[in-house]
Amino acid sequence: MQSLFQFSGGDSFLHRVDPRAKFLIVLAVLSFVLLFEDPLFLATAFASVIAIVWVLGKIPPTEYVTLLLAFTPLILAVALIQGLTYRPPGAEIVIGLGPVGFSDYGLLLGLSIGLRLATMGLTFMMFSMTTPPKDVGLGLNKIGIPFKYAYLATFGLRFLPLMQEDLRTIQNARAVRGDPDVGSKNLLRRFKSLPMSFFPLAANSLRQSSETAKALELRGYGADIKRTTVYDLTLEARDYATAVVCLAVIGAVVYARVMLGIGLLVA
């Protein structure tokens, strides 16, 4: 299993779509999850993104099962916190443990927030796993973002998987040296062991950043405003079709939410 948010090469529909069209796919999903509040709608969006990645991207859930497993405690934690702390007028206590009570509206609100965050994370993962980092920077530059800022996105997509690999290497080294928490089956002990790996991870990241900065400076990065690229992006029929579908979805979502009031979470 590869690192999360690392580009996964392939020959699928999502891999062939221009990154500018994929920006609209991400925007369409974000408009849906940010405007709708009903957990049923958000759970449908979450499952739909998994299906899109699987069918159109040819990336099965086993490739990012770690991310899916991480979403479960996140959703539960947010739901329980909201259920415990948010109790609007008219809400009923559905779970009572002595003086502690969880409201029905708070639990539903927390569930919707957790599903919203999970769907957004899965959508960004879909984009990064099906788009080469160089295409991301070039696509951002094509839509008018200055090259320096577009390159930051490219650098971030390249740097994050490297940090994950470094963290995995550090954790494996600690396990070989007999650290009982790293290889423990207890998730709490494994999470407890992570802070001990942050210092060497940060030190190595700073070293890699310094080396990258020196390499960019030696290659004359930023010396000339006018830049040329060997590889260029061209919009094809599938990209225009994808853009039209995404814009239609965004329009339908806005109309359904604003004009029809669909997807509201009523107390």
Side-chain angles (χ1 to χ4, degrees):
M1 184 177 62
Q2 65 178 41
S3 299
L4 297 177
F5 298 97
Q6 182 180 7
F7 172 66
S8 178
D11 186 25
S12 68
F13 177 81
L14 286 180
H15 285 85
R16 294 190 296 269
V17 169
D18 190 278
R20 288 167 288 182
K22 265 184 280 193
F23 290 151
L24 289 177
I25 296 178
V26 174
L27 185 60
V29 176
L30 292 182
S31 65
F32 188 96
V33 299
L34 291 177
L35 289 178
F36 287 106
E37 301 173 355
D38 194 320
L40 181 61
F41 285 84
L42 296 173
T44 303
F46 183 75
S48 299
V49 173
I50 294 179
I52 290 173
V53 176
W54 198 350
V55 176
L56 299 182
K58 296 182 180 179
I59 301 177
T62 53
E63 291 289 331
Y64 50 92
V65 64
T66 304
L67 185 64
L68 295 178
L69 292 177
F71 286 149
T72 303
L74 170 66
I75 295 173
L76 291 177
V78 174
L80 292 176
I81 292 173
Q82 289 293 326
L84 180 63
T85 59
Y86 190 66
R87 193 178 304 170
E92 298 181 359
I93 302 299
V94 293
I95 302 176
L97 301 174
V100 179
F102 297 89
S103 67
D104 55 352
Y105 185 84
L107 289 174
L108 289 176
L109 179 62
L111 183 61
S112 65
I113 295 174
L115 287 171
R116 180 177 292 124
L117 294 174
T119 306
M120 292 170 63
L122 195 61
T123 303
F124 294 135
M125 182 219 68
M126 171 194 68
F127 181 85
S128 62
M129 291 185 72
T130 60
T131 311
K134 62 180 179 63
D135 288 359
V136 176
L138 190 56
L140 291 173
N141 187 239
K142 285 283 188 179
I143 63 177
I145 296 178
F147 179 79
K148 289 184 178 181
Y149 302 106
Y151 182 79
L152 288 177
T154 302
F155 183 74
L157 290 176
R158 290 185 182 275
F159 200 63
L160 183 59
L162 291 177
M163 292 185 64
Q164 296 181 33
E165 290 293 337
D166 289 341
L167 179 60
R168 186 180 295 113
T169 301
I170 294 170
Q171 292 289 86
N172 291 338
R174 291 179 57 194
V176 170
R177 287 170 173 79
D179 192 322
D181 292 335
V182 175
S184 175
K185 296 182 179 180
N186 190 328
L187 292 179
L188 293 178
R189 293 183 61 183
R190 294 178 66 177
F191 280 116
K192 182 181 177 182
S193 69
L194 287 177
M196 296 297 294
S197 301
F198 287 161
F199 180 77
L201 178 64
N204 192 48
S205 299
L206 291 175
R207 178 185 59 81
Q208 291 179 348
S209 299
S210 177
E211 293 177 353
T212 302
K214 292 178 181 178
L216 290 173
E217 185 177 357
L218 291 174
R219 286 167 173 79
Y221 177 77
D224 188 6
I225 298 178
K226 295 182 179 180
R227 303 185 60 88
T228 59
T229 58
V230 176
Y231 175 74
D232 197 11
L233 295 175
T234 55
L235 292 171
E236 299 183 5
R238 61 172 173 268
D239 304 316
Y240 289 107
T242 302
V244 170
V245 171
C246 291
L247 292 175
V249 169
I250 294 174
V253 167
V254 173
Y255 180 79
R257 174 63 176 81
V258 177
M259 302 301 295
L260 302 180
I262 298 175
L264 287 174
L265 185 60
V266 182

